[in-house]
Every structure is written in C-alpha cells, then in structure tokens.
Amino acid sequence: MELFNKIVGVIVLAIILGLILSLPIYLLWNSCLVPAVDGVHEIGWLQAWGLNILCTGLFKSSVEYKK
C-alpha cells in the first residue's frame, strides 16, 4: 500500500508541476501571440498545458552528458 501511495503522490505532483509550468505559456500566448498574428485565438490554461506536453514530447533533448 505504501508503494501505491508513493506512485499516486508522484503522479499528482507531476500534474501539479505541469500545470504550474504551463502558466507562462498561457500568459505569453494570450498577451504576445494573439495581438501579433491575425487568426490566432486565445487559449485556455488546459490548452497551454497540452501545448507544454506536446512540445516536451516533440523537442525533448536526447543528449547524454558524461562526466
């Protein structure tokens, strides 16, 4: 049961951290991109979270640093 609680805790922490890290995307998109580009609409916070997840998956660095 302890292992299950730890796994659930890590998942919840990852979701909360992802939502917090999507806040700059949300703010920058709506304050900079919408006025600058015609046809671009405002996005919601969950859409910014989705963009964050998408960009993380697409542009994740695969470089390994050896000491």
Side-chain angles (χ1 to χ4, degrees), residues 22-37 39-44 47-48 51 55:
S22 68
L23 185 61
I25 295 170
Y26 167 74
L27 294 173
L28 286 171
W29 183 286
N30 289 336
S31 65
C32 298
L33 194 61
V34 171
V37 180
V40 174
H41 302 288
E42 290 188 357
I43 62 172
Q47 289 172 318
L51 282 172
C55 290

Side-chain angles (χ1 to χ4, degrees), residues 50-63:
L51 282 172
N52 190 12
I53 292 170
L54 177 66
C55 290
T56 300
L58 290 175
F59 303 113
K60 187 175 181 179
S61 176
S62 62
V63 177

